[in-house]
Amino acid sequence: MKDKMTKGYALLFAVIVSAVVLSVAAFIVSVSRKQFILASTARDSLVAIYAADSGIQCAVEAYYKGTLATTSSSVTIPCNGADVVSAFNPVNFGDITGLGIGSSIYRDFYQTPAIKIGLPNHVCAAVTVTDGYYDDVKNGKPVHMTVIESRGYNIGGTASGESCPDNNPREIERAIRLVYRGG
């Protein structure tokens, strides 16, 4: 009778040890999976911010060279060793009130549709340019302001940038805004 009890105890002990080892393994796999997702998201976020930075650098270079004019119908921007040609039809909003930045009225306010820039490794940036004058409430005279905003995406880029953004569930967008105010 004692021999039968020992055999049952060994089987019970083996089942308990197996369950504990399996639980620890499941916990480690769960934590590893979450860490992998966090690391992938951080990597994709970094790629998106670098894409936004590349887009704004290309736009700023074109702005300083004078090739980024808000009154032309198309624009060619040299970017990453290639020329990006984009339809550029800016929208003239005329006088707009209440847009902030210590101003009361924007005058001759132009905004371009997004200039889509395809970057290497299937990432892209969409750059918009806003240009106009606003009435400064502090000194009472109009002030020129140009805003260049670049939205970078971690996926969706092609050489021509036509599928930027891609509307993919894994797509991450990061934006950089550059504001020039004149006197």
Side-chain angles (χ1 to χ4, degrees):
M1 183 125 174
K2 190 176 187 182
D3 201 25
K4 289 182 183 179
M5 293 292 278
T6 306
K7 289 180 183 179
Y9 178 75
L11 182 61
L12 178 64
F13 183 72
V15 168
I16 290 173
V17 168
S18 297
V20 168
V21 168
L22 185 61
S23 297
V24 169
F27 174 75
I28 290 172
V29 167
S30 173
V31 169
S32 297
R33 182 177 170 271
K34 290 175 185 173
Q35 290 294 322
F36 177 76
I37 290 170
L38 285 173
S40 297
T41 303
R43 180 199 64 218
D44 291 345
S45 179
L46 191 61
V47 167
I49 197 73
Y50 284 155
D53 185 54
S54 294
I56 209 155
Q57 289 297 327
C58 294
V60 166
E61 182 180 345
Y63 180 78
Y64 276 121
K65 287 182 178 179
T67 58
L68 190 61
T70 56
T71 57
S72 65
S73 61
S74 69
V75 65
T76 302
I77 299 175
C79 189
N80 293 321
D83 287 339
V84 176
V85 179
S86 180
F88 202 66
N89 305 315
V91 177
N92 185 354
F93 290 107
D95 292 349
I96 299 176
T97 58
L99 289 182
I101 313 177
S103 64
S104 59
I105 298 176
Y106 278 85
R107 302 187 186 285
D108 298 324
F109 188 64
Y110 290 91
Q111 186 172 37
T112 66
I115 302 165
K116 297 179 179 180
I117 301 171
L119 300 167
N121 299 323
H122 301 291
V123 299
C124 65
V127 179
T128 57
V129 179
T130 306
D131 192 39
Y133 290 88
Y134 67 92
D135 291 340
D136 190 350
V137 293
K138 292 181 182 175
N139 62 19
K141 55 183 176 177
V143 178
H144 181 260
M145 184 171 75
T146 301
V147 178
I148 301 173
E149 184 175 83
S150 177
R151 296 181 178 273
Y153 300 93
N154 63 323
I155 53 178
T158 59
S160 62
E162 70 241 0
S163 65
C164 177
D166 195 18
N167 295 326
N168 186 318
R170 284 193 50 237
E171 182 175 76
I172 294 178
E173 175 186 275
R174 294 291 179 257
I176 298 175
R177 177 180 293 160
L178 187 61
V179 179
Y180 291 108
R181 289 189 194 126

